[in-house]
Amino acid sequence: MIKTLRAIFEAIAHFQNEQELREALMDTIGNHFGVQHWGISFLDDELLTEIKTLDIPAVCLEANPVGRYVVERHAPTHEQLILSPEDWKNFCTRHEHIMTGPIVCDGRLVGTLNFARDPGSAPFNGNDLADLSALCIHLSAKLATLRAKPKNLSSAVNSLLTARELEIAELVAQGLTNGEIAAKLWITQNSVKQALKRMFRKLGVSARAEMVAKLQDRLIS
């Protein structure tokens, strides 16, 4: 049976925050690549110390040639593309096979996705690298969306909108359609439509984009 990344891509698209992305996705990714050790490391994240990365050497970007390759080129790689097996053993005696890919946002490297296989395991190959490259693209795009998303709107408009309306407003701000909002909240499309009408009336707007803009203006002010 051919392994597919489609389910992983769909899962990435529906995550609502970085913590959820890291914790809920990793087992699925680890199983897909058949690895014993894996992790996501964010270079600028205070929560990094709380996320166990299982001591994967590739997260050390300064002293590891695989890490340096990723830093310099913003491209995924594994150890056999850089060093011979004999040379690699001088850098790592614990993990025989390492593969690392970049997570980028706003034109800079913000993290790495890291995999390791124990001695005796099959090395990573071209298909693994192609899958990692695709996965890093989806993770980077999702991260850019999450970090660009407005902060919680409820603090700015809780006196105007109900809790359910605030949920709908958040989803509208993320670009979801009425049908997608209905499916996510387990309500009918008509309920979403009627809720939006009430929200427009409360906020004095006539369109979704105008509502999102007004909510963001309130948040800034």
Side-chain angles (χ1 to χ4, degrees):
M1 180 178 178
I2 299 176
K3 294 186 294 185
T4 176
L5 285 169
R6 182 181 298 275
I8 298 177
F9 293 159
E10 291 176 352
I12 291 173
H14 287 88
F15 288 146
Q16 300 300 310
N17 55 66
E18 294 180 35
Q19 188 80 6
E20 182 180 323
L21 183 149
R22 278 179 279 186
E23 294 179 346
L25 190 63
M26 291 316 298
D27 284 344
T28 304
I29 292 178
N31 290 335
H32 176 87
F33 287 96
V35 295
Q36 292 77 44
H37 313 281
W38 60 94
I40 296 178
S41 296
F42 285 106
L43 309 182
D44 58 351
D45 195 339
E46 294 179 357
L47 293 177
L48 180 59
T49 56
E50 302 176 12
I51 305 300
K52 189 175 182 181
T53 56
L54 303 179
D55 194 28
I56 301 172
V59 302
C60 178
L61 301 181
E62 297 296 331
N64 188 304
V66 176
R68 287 201 301 271
Y69 183 100
V70 174
V71 170
E72 293 171 2
R73 297 171 174 81
H74 288 194
T77 189
H78 56 68
E79 87 290 341
Q80 288 194 9
L81 291 180
I82 300 173
L83 299 170
S84 68
E86 293 75 19
D87 290 335
W88 173 246
K89 291 178 181 178
N90 294 327
F91 286 92
C92 181
T93 57
R94 180 181 175 188
H95 302 112
E96 189 167 1
H97 306 295
I98 289 290
M99 184 169 66
T100 298
I103 302 174
V104 299
C105 185
D106 294 329
R108 63 188 180 90
L109 183 74
V110 297
T112 54
L113 178 58
N114 314 294
F115 299 114
R117 289 175 178 167
D118 287 338
S121 302
F124 294 107
N125 57 33
N127 287 332
D128 293 321
L129 203 60
D131 282 356
L132 176 61
S133 179
L135 189 55
C136 286
I137 290 173
H138 282 260
L139 285 172
S140 296
K142 183 61 177 182
L143 183 65
T145 300
L146 290 174
R147 294 191 173 185
K149 188 175 69 173
K151 296 180 180 179
N152 190 353
L153 301 177
S154 60
S155 61
V157 294
N158 56 10
S159 62
L160 293 176
L161 303 182
T162 67
R164 175 62 87 183
E165 289 169 346
L166 286 169
E167 286 185 285
I168 294 173
E170 289 279 5
L171 296 175
V172 169
Q174 294 172 34
L176 273 65
T177 65
N178 285 3
E180 292 169 333
I181 293 172
K184 185 172 272 301
L185 298 181
W186 293 86
I187 58 179
T188 66
Q189 288 194 48
N190 186 60
S191 295
V192 175
K193 183 177 179 181
Q194 295 304 318
L196 285 173
K197 286 183 178 180
R198 292 193 304 271
M199 294 159 67
F200 288 177
R201 188 166 58 251
K202 290 179 181 180
L203 296 171
V205 299
S206 58
R208 298 161 76 95
E210 188 180 358
M211 179 185 72
V212 172
K214 188 163 188 176
L215 292 174
Q216 292 183 24
D217 289 342
R218 286 174 176 270
L219 184 62
I220 294 172
S221 60

